[in-house]
Amino acid sequence: MSKPLSVVVGTTEGWPYVRDLLETLREDAQASGSEVVIADGSGAPPPPDSEIYPEVRWLKFDIPAVFALYREGIRAAQGDIVALTEDHALPQAGWIPQIIRAHAEHPDAAVIGGSIENGSHQTILDWASYFITQGIHMAPLGDREVPISTNEADVSYKRAAVADVDDNGGQGFMAILHNRRLADAGAVQRVDDRIRVDHFQTIGFRRTSAIHYHNGRSISGFRRGRGMTREDWARMAAALILPFLRTGKAIRHVWGKGRHRRELLASAPLMLWLDLCQGVGHFVGYAAGAGDSPNYLR
């Protein structure tokens, strides 16, 4: 039976890591008749039925890569709308009904993304990591049409927009590439910052640097797998120059939002460092493929 909405979460952490996320979604899922699909590749035991609610479908896979888990979760989803978030994000109150409302208001929109706020304020490194990955999606976003919508932390699709998921040569579903394909096909994409999640990631200097390397290698490796374009060859050639441009672009975007400017200025050198880590990853991914880098991402 079709559901009004499916929330899909890919996790390599499993239970009880996602307990807080499930509790955050419980009231809205039950009130709306929506389902929560957990695609679990952790290898850990699933939660007992007494620890979760009936709207949760816990699916176990022998898959260590989060993008492949999203692919499986999306394929299993029964909702008319398929919404994605991450196992280290917490949707704010009303997230599910706000997504349903937004899609009802814009029946022509294939994709509607929401704002992604920083939940990790402990260190300047946390802010740097957030700004270069999610700063462009920080509120205010408004309620408007955009060329490309947001990423797995806070994005939703009409069922038809993910009915035929391109899994990038078996590597899985990556929202930024899927959204690009939809844009190339003329699909309408929107953002609405009444749909909000808080994103949490505090893992220290070494692991943060590594995860940005693996993120860069995963993205470019996925692109290499679907066939190198002229644009991809140019990105590969400029892999160690583009980080300077990306950092500047992120600073301009966040500065223009008028929020967290003190944290932005303080974290700028670390933003550049993390962009350089990602740039090395991009070069390696274009040259040699994604390797096992997707397995390191959350």
Side-chain angles (χ1 to χ4, degrees), residues 96-155:
I96 288 176
Q98 289 283 21
I99 293 171
I100 294 172
R101 171 202 54 77
H103 279 274
E105 290 177 356
H106 302 286
D108 62 328
V111 190
I112 302 179
S115 64
I116 303 168
E117 299 297 305
N118 186 23
S120 299
H121 304 157
Q122 289 89 333
T123 69
I124 291 300
L125 178 66
D126 295 338
W127 280 107
S129 183
Y130 166 76
F131 285 139
I132 66 170
T133 56
Q134 310 293 4
I136 192 172
H137 307 309
M138 184 175 78
L141 297 177
D143 179 8
R144 60 192 173 89
E145 193 169 322
V146 293
I148 302 288
S149 194
T150 51
N151 59 40
E152 288 87 353
D154 192 5
V155 69

Side-chain angles (χ1 to χ4, degrees), residues 29-250:
Q30 293 180 334
S32 65
S34 299
E35 66 172 358
V36 181
V37 179
I38 304 296
D40 176 16
S42 68
D49 291 343
S50 59
E51 293 279 0
I52 57 177
Y53 42 96
E55 290 75 18
V56 176
R57 294 170 58 206
W58 195 283
L59 308 179
K60 293 286 292 180
F61 298 97
D62 185 19
I63 298 173
V66 71
F67 297 116
L69 291 167
Y70 274 109
R71 175 194 64 210
E72 297 302 323
I74 291 168
R75 288 175 173 173
Q78 299 172 350
D80 297 327
I81 300 165
V82 179
L84 309 184
T85 191
E86 297 177 331
D87 64 1
H88 51 287
L90 293 179
Q92 296 186 12
W95 187 71
I96 288 176
Q98 289 283 21
I99 293 171
I100 294 172
R101 171 202 54 77
H103 279 274
E105 290 177 356
H106 302 286
D108 62 328
V111 190
I112 302 179
S115 64
I116 303 168
E117 299 297 305
N118 186 23
S120 299
H121 304 157
Q122 289 89 333
T123 69
I124 291 300
L125 178 66
D126 295 338
W127 280 107
S129 183
Y130 166 76
F131 285 139
I132 66 170
T133 56
Q134 310 293 4
I136 192 172
H137 307 309
M138 184 175 78
L141 297 177
D143 179 8
R144 60 192 173 89
E145 193 169 322
V146 293
I148 302 288
S149 194
T150 51
N151 59 40
E152 288 87 353
D154 192 5
V155 69
S156 59
Y157 301 90
K158 297 284 197 306
R159 175 77 255 175
V162 287
D164 184 19
V165 172
D166 186 335
D167 72 349
N168 298 288
Q171 296 176 106
F173 174 91
M174 185 179 287
I176 61 170
L177 299 184
H178 188 71
N179 293 355
R180 171 63 67 184
R181 293 188 190 100
L182 291 174
D184 291 344
V188 174
Q189 304 193 36
R190 299 186 63 87
V191 290
D192 183 336
D193 63 13
R194 290 171 291 183
I195 304 166
R196 295 195 180 196
V197 303
D198 294 315
H199 184 269
F200 295 85
Q201 194 162 65
T202 301
I203 55 176
F205 181 81
R206 181 175 178 178
R207 288 184 64 201
T208 299
S209 301
I211 209 166
H212 282 275
Y213 164 82
H214 291 302
N215 186 49
R217 183 172 181 182
S218 296
I219 293 170
S220 58
F222 275 40
R223 286 176 173 146
R224 182 180 188 270
R226 53 115 166 93
M228 293 285 284
T229 66
R230 184 177 300 176
E231 184 180 6
D232 291 327
W233 285 111
R235 285 196 186 106
M236 180 180 177
L240 299 183
I241 299 172
L242 288 175
F244 294 90
L245 301 178
R246 290 193 184 102
T247 300
K249 182 179 179 180

